[in-house]
Amino acid sequence: MIRQVQKIRIYPTNAQQLQLAKAMGCCRFWWNYALNKIIESYKETGKSLSRSGLNALLPNLKKEFPWLKTDVYSQSLQQTSLNLSRAFINFFQKRARFPRFKSKHRKQSVAFPQSVKVEGDYVKIPKIGLVKAVFERRYVGKIKTVTVSKDSCNHYFASIIYELEACFINGKGDKILGIDLGIKDFAIVNDGSKTSKYKNPKHFDKHYKNLARKQKKLARKKLDSNSRNKAKKLLAKVHARISNSRQDYLHKLSRNLTNDSQVIVVENLNVKGMVRNHKLAKAISDCGWGMFVNFLSYKLKREDKHLIEIDRWFASSKICSNCLYQMDKMPLDIREWTCPSCQTKHDRDENAAKNIRAEGIRIVQSEGTPDSARGGSVRPGLGIMTLSFGYCR
Ligand SMILES: [Zn+2]
């Protein structure tokens, strides 16, 4: 997993500045207290105090100084212990000088391990709330640690450490979507945290009944009769209506998904087309999968975003998205199953969408270029190159 640090300017409100000042004060206090304890311990025993040794001092200290409980997120103090023990390791390995006491006149900081979220143009910080932020680029991945700092000009910054899935310039839509195309549901979309199902529109059924009726009528007409020509025209109208409403639906759906994302991963349609089941083949062509993938492709391309098509040999529905166990068989009529290895209960389509997304990410991370992408392919003309981590450096 690649780690990436992003430093952004943040704009806390006056109330938030006060809360941050308190939290930074607590961390500074704890750093200095702990550093002093380590120095004392050295003088007395010749030994340092470990990180857990430091953390063990905290409960009593919080009783003595109750503001260590109220004014700061407890994880922030533990992160300070970690930073201090790392500072000592660096000192002993001759990579850094002896850790120094922190002054309130210098740069201040407080760290938040794991509980921070990025929500739109805000960073959500425990005990502080939503803080306005300016992002120049967006990263997709798990947020590990966020350190909020204040410099001598009273400017606030957040350094966010991500376990990276990908990164993008200009964050309009920042998701990687895996899409499984289906028949009961038209598209099953996984964005890494949730799965959405998009139904085949119901009004198609209505059109199809109409179509069948008009086809029957036409069949009963005499050849070269006037009424036959009339019936032909009526039938053509129904066809046009179906095709318009299908296109309309596919345009809207592909537009919404494109707005939401930077990369969309789908299975190569040849896979689906290879199914030698006549009924299924008709359903597939009716759904307009090919049209949909085309719409996605050019909409994404116009915005410098990317479509990745996964290779036909990738068994998206047979693999457990949780533990990667591969089933021998997965007949089409099985909609739900339990992984024999990790006991995870799967919805067939959701599991496939998750696998497709993961495979797309794997391709982006490991291969970077369409030509070398062994496990998948990229539509001609779509430069997956730009997705390589060159952006991030
Ligand atoms: Zn499993």
Side-chain angles (χ1 to χ4, degrees):
M1 190 62 78
I2 300 158
R3 291 213 171 185
Q4 175 71 37
V5 186
Q6 179 182 36
K7 190 173 179 181
I8 52 166
R9 181 91 186 265
I10 57 170
Y11 299 88
T13 63
N14 287 342
Q16 288 171 334
Q17 287 182 24
L18 193 66
Q19 284 171 298
L20 282 170
K22 284 181 181 175
M24 288 167 176
C26 289
C27 289
R28 187 180 63 238
F29 171 86
W30 168 233
W31 172 282
N32 289 341
Y33 183 94
L35 178 54
N36 189 47
K37 277 280 172 200
I38 292 175
I39 294 169
E40 276 179 8
S41 163
Y42 259 111
K43 280 181 189 159
E44 285 165 18
T45 67
K47 279 181 187 164
S48 177
L49 283 170
S50 68
R51 171 189 170 197
S52 53
L54 291 175
N55 282 337
L57 299 171
L58 276 170
N60 275 333
L61 204 62
K62 283 180 183 172
K63 276 179 201 152
E64 196 178 336
F65 305 106
W67 37 266
L68 281 177
K69 235 176 170 173
T70 54
D71 289 357
V72 65
Y73 184 57
S74 64
Q75 298 263 316
S76 297
L77 294 177
Q78 304 210 354
Q79 184 68 32
T80 303
S81 320
L82 177 64
N83 291 346
L84 183 58
S85 54
R86 275 188 193 147
F88 267 100
I89 290 170
N90 287 338
F91 166 69
F92 286 122
Q93 297 183 348
K94 297 194 164 57
R95 285 195 300 259
R97 354 183 235 181
F98 194 84
R100 291 192 294 177
F101 288 99
K102 289 189 189 287
S103 151
K104 68 173 170 186
H105 301 296
R106 305 184 71 130
K107 185 181 151 189
Q108 304 293 307
S109 69
V110 53
F112 301 88
Q114 287 189 344
S115 323
V116 177
K117 282 182 188 152
V118 170
E119 294 181 357
D121 288 331
Y122 291 86
V123 182
K124 193 178 180 188
I125 302 173
K127 283 211 172 184
I128 309 290
L130 291 171
V131 183
K132 183 99 181 79
V134 173
F135 292 91
E136 276 171 16
R137 55 188 69 176
R138 299 280 176 170
Y139 295 96
V140 178
K142 197 171 162 196
I143 293 177
K144 297 304 287 180
T145 310
V146 175
T147 304
V148 175
S149 59
K150 188 182 91 168
D151 68 10
S152 47
C153 316
N154 275 349
H155 293 163
Y156 288 81
F157 298 91
S159 291
I160 308 174
I161 299 177
Y162 295 88
E163 273 187 349
L164 211 59
E165 284 177 349
C167 94
F168 311 111
I169 282 183
N170 298 328
K172 199 188 155 212
D174 56 3
K175 289 179 177 149
I176 300 177
L177 304 178
I179 304 183
D180 184 41
L181 295 169
I183 289 169
K184 192 167 128 278
D185 293 303
F186 176 73
I188 300 92
V189 181
N190 181 268
D191 68 3
S193 56
K194 66 175 197 315
T195 301
S196 318
K197 294 187 171 184
Y198 298 90
K199 284 215 173 321
N200 255 317
K202 283 240 170 71
H203 58 261
F204 283 4
D205 285 348
K206 209 173 61 194
H207 283 312
Y208 284 128
K209 269 179 203 153
N210 193 7
L211 186 70
R213 206 167 49 235
K214 297 244 155 73
Q215 262 165 345
K216 252 186 214 163
K217 259 190 190 166
L218 176 66
R220 282 197 298 265
K221 305 287 180 195
K222 273 186 194 148
L223 284 176
D224 292 330
S225 67
N226 243 346
S227 61
R228 184 181 170 88
N229 283 339
K230 237 187 197 169
K232 253 188 186 168
K233 270 185 191 160
L234 283 174
L235 182 63
K237 260 190 187 168
V238 182
H239 272 299
R241 218 176 289 153
I242 291 177
S243 139
N244 285 342
S245 63
R246 179 197 289 139
Q247 279 199 33
D248 196 45
Y249 173 75
L250 298 180
H251 269 304
K252 275 182 192 149
L253 183 56
S254 56
R255 167 49 47 209
N256 289 341
L257 295 175
T258 301
N259 285 349
D260 237 21
S261 63
Q262 290 284 336
V263 175
I264 293 181
V265 192
V266 293
E267 260 181 315
N268 189 318
L269 286 183
N270 294 338
V271 193
K272 304 260 183 189
M274 301 246 299
V275 182
R276 293 215 182 136
N277 174 333
H278 217 63
K279 261 189 193 164
L280 199 61
K282 174 165 188 323
I284 287 168
S285 67
D286 282 353
C287 290
W289 285 347
M291 193 184 278
F292 179 63
V293 174
N294 272 332
F295 286 178
L296 279 177
S297 169
Y298 81 78
K299 285 188 169 84
L300 288 164
K301 192 182 175 185
R302 263 198 318 225
E303 298 178 26
D304 219 10
K305 298 173 171 183
H306 308 275
L307 181 77
I308 298 176
E309 293 188 80
I310 299 294
D311 191 74
R312 67 171 75 164
W313 305 116
F314 178 69
S316 64
S317 54
K318 286 186 196 165
I319 298 171
C320 166
S321 58
N322 184 45
C323 74
L324 305 184
Y325 179 87
Q326 184 163 351
M327 304 286 282
D328 293 337
K329 273 189 248 165
M330 185 55 65
L332 271 171
D333 55 335
I334 294 182
R335 309 311 305 172
E336 280 170 354
W337 56 285
T338 303
C339 171
S341 170
C342 72
Q343 312 303 323
T344 304
K345 279 191 179 158
H346 291 300
D347 171 280
R348 179 203 182 92
D349 298 330
E350 178 177 27
N351 180 58
K354 282 181 185 168
N355 282 331
I356 290 167
R357 180 177 184 273
E359 178 65 6
I361 291 171
R362 190 194 67 74
I363 289 170
V364 169
Q365 285 186 345
S366 66
E367 325 260 353
T369 66
D371 296 333
S372 60
R374 232 184 357 181
S377 63
V378 175
R379 291 234 147 190
L382 282 186
I384 198 70
M385 286 295 287
T386 49
L387 243 180
S388 68
F389 290 98
Y391 262 142
C392 311
R393 287 183 198 116

